[in-house]
Amino acid sequence: MFRFALHVLIVLLLTLLTQISGIAYLIALAASRAWGIRRFLTKLAIFLFCYAGATFAASLAAPMVGRVPLSCISSATDRLVVRSPIYCLLNRNYVTPHLRDLAKALAAHMNEEFPGTVTVALDANFPFVNGFPLLPHLSHADGKKLDFAYYYKDADDAFLDGVTRSPIGYFAFEQPAPGDELPCQGRNDWLTTRWDFDALQPLFPAYGIEEQRTSAAVAWLTSEGVARFGLQKIFIEPHLKNALGITNSHVRFQGCRAARHDDHIHIQVE
């Protein structure tokens, strides 16, 4: 009974983590039992093989249901890149074709305005099933949401192309200054993903947001992005929105139960 419950728990955790690796685990488990395999490393190798096959199959099947993968393999000439291969390994890199076109158009615009600039994409969506949660996000569940990293500069104000403060682009927050707008100050929500990760902050390099490029990207999103691609919302933390001088109504606060958005830009389309 304990072993059965353990397998169920593993399937649930793998499914929540990658959407499809729970199925790969069940296939690998059945194959291992059919072949009488007991060694852990051999079982692990079978699972990894099954998961690799399932991931490849998902990349072929997802376009049939309206989602396409953003590639984690990039060349020196690519202007849109996914921050880390981990997003593809976990199947978190899927968007609708319309949103993919928006992301590519934004990257092309930024390269035209600031030659050589790379635009960095972060979490997108899983390949299948509207409403399936992409934890810890609250809304990345239909292929129509995508996160971008901010553009950064070093302490000497030199632009850092394709660089993020954290290895995965998340959790290195831009801290508000005294007197900044803090809509969640004083709240103690017990059910929330608004984590501050205070212990992590000293571990990240002291880069700052490159205001010119970041403001230009938001300006394009709220003009061309809205007119050509039906962009609905952009989430940016209020103190950062104010610091960048952004007043467009499409740029909004995500609410106090959602994750902080002073480490990334969230966009969504119709």
Side-chain angles (χ1 to χ4, degrees):
M1 187 64 182
F2 172 77
R3 182 171 295 182
F4 175 78
L6 179 62
H7 288 314
V8 170
L9 179 60
I10 291 173
V11 169
L12 288 175
L13 290 176
L14 289 174
T15 301
L16 287 174
L17 183 64
T18 69
Q19 193 179 64
I20 63 174
S21 61
I23 296 174
Y25 179 81
L26 290 175
I27 295 172
L29 184 63
S32 296
R33 288 185 174 180
W35 297 334
I37 295 173
R38 295 183 177 277
R39 293 183 61 186
F40 171 77
L41 290 179
T42 305
K43 290 181 178 179
L44 178 61
I46 293 172
F47 164 69
L48 293 176
F49 177 81
C50 291
Y51 180 53
T55 299
F56 177 71
S59 70
L60 300 179
M64 301 177 190
V65 296
R67 299 188 195 180
V68 294
L70 298 176
S71 176
C72 288
I73 301 174
S74 59
S75 68
T77 60
D78 288 330
R79 298 299 95 192
L80 175 68
V81 302
V82 176
R83 177 61 183 90
S84 169
I86 194 171
Y87 292 112
C88 294
L89 293 174
L90 298 180
N91 294 292
R92 303 170 74 95
N93 60 315
Y94 286 82
V95 294
T96 63
H98 194 61
L99 183 50
R100 175 200 57 192
D101 293 344
L102 181 154
K104 288 185 175 181
L106 170 63
H109 169 76
M110 293 302 295
N111 185 51
E112 290 173 3
E113 290 291 310
F114 308 94
T117 295
V118 167
T119 295
V120 179
L122 305 175
D123 262 339
N125 310 262
F126 283 135
F128 308 112
V129 187
N130 286 345
F132 193 99
L134 184 89
L135 299 177
H137 303 279
L138 301 182
S139 65
H140 289 233
D142 57 6
K144 299 179 180 181
K145 281 80 176 181
L146 177 62
D147 290 343
F148 291 107
Y150 287 110
Y151 302 89
Y152 288 96
K153 62 183 179 181
D154 63 17
D156 297 321
D157 290 335
F159 173 57
L160 300 168
D161 193 34
V163 173
T164 57
R165 290 185 61 206
S166 87
I168 61 171
Y170 290 107
F171 309 133
F173 303 117
E174 300 301 309
Q175 302 300 337
D180 280 347
E181 181 180 355
L182 301 174
C184 300
Q185 189 173 37
R187 292 179 58 127
N188 294 295
D189 300 303
W190 68 273
L191 184 61
T192 180
T193 58
R194 190 178 175 83
W195 307 313
D196 292 328
F197 292 110
D198 290 334
L200 292 180
Q201 302 312 301
L203 304 179
F204 300 123
Y207 302 151
I209 287 182
E210 206 284 318
E211 298 92 342
Q212 190 177 14
R213 285 173 174 80
T214 300
S215 297
V218 174
W220 185 92
L221 288 167
T222 55
S223 54
E224 292 295 308
V226 172
R228 291 171 53 193
F229 298 98
L231 183 141
Q232 287 183 321
K233 299 177 185 177
I234 302 173
F235 292 153
I236 295 177
E237 207 68 24
H239 75 86
L240 195 52
K241 174 183 174 181
N242 295 337
L244 293 170
I246 299 169
T247 58
N248 190 281
S249 61
H250 287 89
V251 182
R252 307 176 186 179
F253 175 55
Q254 71 279 359
C256 291
R257 294 187 184 276
R260 290 177 60 163
H261 283 68
D262 46 3
D263 60 339
H264 69 281
I265 300 172
H266 166 101
I267 69 167
Q268 58 191 67
V269 296
E270 295 176 354

